[in-house]
Amino acid sequence: MGVRVQAEPFDFGAEAAAFGRGLPDVGAIVTFSGIVRADGGAMSEMVIEHYPGMTERALGAIRAEAIARFGLAEALVIHRFGPMRPGDQIMMVATAARHRADAFAAAEFLMDYLKSRAPFWKKETRPDGTDWVAARDEDEAALRRW
Amino acid sequence: MTTIEVLYFAWLRERIGAGRERIETAAPDVRALVAQLSAMDDRHAAAFADLAAVRVALDQDLADLDAPLAGVREVAFFPPMTGG
């Protein structure tokens, strides 16, 4: 539980169900999953590189910050690395709180931070070749709202 | 002089042609280390040509280019992160 960084696929439904068990004072669970987009068929393969060690450490720190800031009962982050195809699940977060506002906000906080502060890099294969995905200014700007 | 592990990820790794190397350095901060690495050969120079596109972590914590290297054993260079 907590943070998992793995190459293999995960079962989103099973993870969400397991996450929700044994949390008696929780009134709200929010889950999010990120999926590889085909971009109209233009994107055929994605490979995610990461920095073993730092990845777990960064995700652990972001998760701990989310728990403290939003008073969560529990939080889960799963993120994959390696080769993936359109439709595959890349990652998921789950947050559990007494009320929904904190659970929703914490899930957004986790996503905003892990997009720009956890050491993952996406490389995409398209008809014109293979290249690294550039970070977007909006992703960096999204951190300023927290 | 101290020996540090220097790691590269994503396009920095590809431009340099290696994911890690051991470097002897007396650089006091990251910027000085980058100058030393850039002077090694054309590959390193190309990888560090645009420092605005380079991020750094010291012993697996994000840092900035002016951070001191005293006591640091592992320095990683990589582009802005694109997870999620």
Side-chain angles (χ1 to χ4, degrees):
Chain A
M1 200 75 133
V3 166
R4 274 160 42 201
V5 180
Q6 61 188 52
E8 53 280 5
F10 58 88
D11 181 336
F12 176 71
E15 295 291 347
F19 179 79
R21 280 197 281 272
L23 299 170
D25 285 326
V26 161
I29 287 174
V30 167
T31 57
F32 170 87
S33 81
I35 296 156
V36 181
R37 256 195 319 270
D39 272 351
M43 216 283 291
S44 54
E45 192 191 43
M46 172 184 284
V47 176
I48 297 184
E49 182 170 327
H50 78 121
Y51 181 175
M54 179 175 168
T55 310
E56 290 81 357
R57 187 182 165 104
L59 291 177
I62 294 166
R63 172 178 175 271
E65 172 68 18
I67 289 171
R69 194 186 272 233
F70 300 98
L72 301 180
E74 189 52 88
L76 170 68
V77 178
I78 300 174
H79 205 302
R80 294 178 60 203
F81 60 87
M84 275 161 252
R85 297 198 164 276
D88 287 354
Q89 270 159 345
I90 304 172
M91 51 83 58
M92 70 172 283
V93 301
T95 59
R98 286 182 68 81
H99 302 288
R100 73 176 185 279
D102 284 330
F104 274 118
E108 290 220 74
F109 173 91
L110 283 170
M111 288 310 304
D112 283 350
Y113 268 84
L114 77 81
K115 266 193 114 60
S116 304
R117 293 290 182 272
F120 292 103
W121 301 275
K122 294 190 182 110
K123 191 176 194 179
E124 293 180 345
T125 299
R126 292 172 180 273
D128 56 349
T130 296
D131 206 359
W132 296 96
V133 174
R136 302 184 317 154
D137 291 341
E138 303 93 277
D139 290 337
E140 191 62 32
L143 300 185
R144 284 186 223 121
R145 64 180 166 139
W146 300 107
Chain B
M1 297 285 268
T2 54
T3 305
I4 54 171
E5 288 288 324
V6 180
L7 278 62
Y8 305 103
F9 292 95
W11 56 256
L12 274 115
R13 173 179 53 73
E14 292 179 340
R15 275 185 207 177
I16 284 165
R20 74 165 57 218
E21 56 189 344
R22 194 160 284 177
I23 299 288
E24 290 279 322
T25 187
D29 56 25
V30 176
R31 214 173 274 282
L33 176 64
V34 168
Q36 177 186 340
L37 295 168
S38 298
M40 283 170 57
D41 54 41
D42 289 349
R43 286 175 160 267
H44 287 78
F48 291 109
D50 178 15
L51 280 184
V54 176
R55 301 289 179 268
V56 62
L58 303 180
D59 289 332
Q60 305 191 354
D61 279 325
L62 285 174
D64 58 48
L65 288 170
D66 296 310
L69 286 179
V72 171
R73 289 177 304 182
E74 183 174 293
V75 178
F77 293 103
F78 42 78
M81 294 157 271
T82 53

